Amino acid sequence: MNRPDAHFGGAIASLYQAHMVPMLFEPYATELVARVLARPCARVLEVAAGTGVVTRHLAERLPAHVAITATDLNPAMLDVAQSLGTARPVAWQMADAMQLPFGDAAFDAVVCQFGAMFFPDKVKGFAEAHRVLAPGGALFFNVWDRLGKNEFADTVTTAMASAFPLDPPRFLARVPHGYHDLVVIARDLAQGGFTAPHMHTVQSRSHAASPRIPAEALCQGTPLRAEIEARDIGGLEAATAMAEAALAYRFGTGPIEGRMQAHVITAVR
């Protein structure tokens, strides 16, 4: 895989599950799966499943007869997901959303939590989802809103600009929070075959036991880690400490919380 912005391998996968999932992803997983439950389906495909937070909700909440296939580009993420297990059997498979290894009209629902931002070609990714959906099936996905609407990520990005003023790492702004324009998303969906998507902006709160948790999560549990290490091979801990200090200054030194906001989208084939 030659996509550094989408590489979640090695230590990143375990940190992602330990910190990112409870801090950022769990509330939106519950919300996204509720939308899937509102439509009848017998075959569900999840793309960019990561460490399986949405997969576990699907396995717990969908009727037993619904078949679930969960895929991700990163083997390390799938390894963590499988080690955690699910309430019932799930078919796990490594797969690229740009070229899904499934036949036409093979699924009634495609689900993707915070993965579309990583598609190198958004239209192609949506077109693949459209191809594998049966007529009347639906794509359910979410993307983060702009950086300024997501306070932990915004604070860490500002801290990185102080740590590396000549060449700030911009992964969080460029990728996770770089695909938030609903007009652009609707255009890309239309070019991928979907029309009249339902779009909702959902605000929530992110919680952490201390400023160290989001600092470590974002600096060490995402591809921001590679950007930091590319600028200073031994500077990961120092950069994390700067992020921690910035978070403590803004939110306090004890348990902290901040605003987060995302767009949740349903597009019917």
Side-chain angles (χ1 to χ4, degrees), residues 115-213:
M117 308 91 70
F118 293 88
F119 294 173
D121 183 334
K122 308 295 191 291
V123 172
K124 185 175 182 181
F126 293 144
E128 274 293 275
H130 188 273
R131 179 184 66 79
V132 302
L133 278 170
L139 168 64
F140 304 87
F141 71 103
N142 49 21
V143 296
W144 290 115
D145 203 344
R146 67 183 71 251
L147 191 64
K149 300 289 187 180
N150 290 272
E151 293 178 330
F152 286 177
D154 187 34
T155 304
V156 170
T157 299
T158 301
M160 291 305 96
S162 296
F164 303 96
L166 298 181
D167 184 19
R170 295 286 294 169
F171 167 75
L172 296 175
R174 186 180 68 256
V175 184
H177 299 280
Y179 190 57
H180 55 75
D181 188 324
L182 293 177
V183 172
V184 172
I185 294 169
R187 180 201 67 198
D188 291 345
L189 282 166
Q191 291 180 9
F194 294 98
T195 58
H198 298 278
M199 300 181 168
H200 300 88
T201 299
V202 179
Q203 187 177 122
S204 188
R205 303 293 292 177
S206 181
H207 300 268
S210 72
R212 176 68 188 187
I213 299 299

Side-chain angles (χ1 to χ4, degrees), residues 44-46 49 52 54-62 64 66-71 78 81-82 85-93:
V44 175
L45 170 67
E46 185 182 359
V54 168
T55 322
R56 290 186 287 277
H57 280 279
L58 290 169
E60 290 170 3
R61 300 171 66 187
L62 284 172
V66 178
I68 303 169
T69 300
T71 68
L78 290 176
Q82 290 180 269
T86 50
R88 60 184 178 88
V90 168
W92 299 97
Q93 186 171 339

Side-chain angles (χ1 to χ4, degrees), residues 182-264:
L182 293 177
V183 172
V184 172
I185 294 169
R187 180 201 67 198
D188 291 345
L189 282 166
Q191 291 180 9
F194 294 98
T195 58
H198 298 278
M199 300 181 168
H200 300 88
T201 299
V202 179
Q203 187 177 122
S204 188
R205 303 293 292 177
S206 181
H207 300 268
S210 72
R212 176 68 188 187
I213 299 299
E216 191 171 277
L218 294 167
C219 291
Q220 301 185 22
T222 74
L224 178 60
R225 180 187 189 122
E227 290 193 348
I228 294 169
E229 292 178 326
R231 288 157 175 79
D232 182 356
I233 189 63
L236 182 62
E237 180 53 41
T240 304
M242 286 191 70
E244 180 182 1
L247 288 158
Y249 179 80
R250 183 171 180 180
F251 300 104
T253 57
I256 62 173
E257 67 174 80
R259 180 177 65 177
M260 58 180 177
Q261 188 161 295
H263 305 306
V264 185

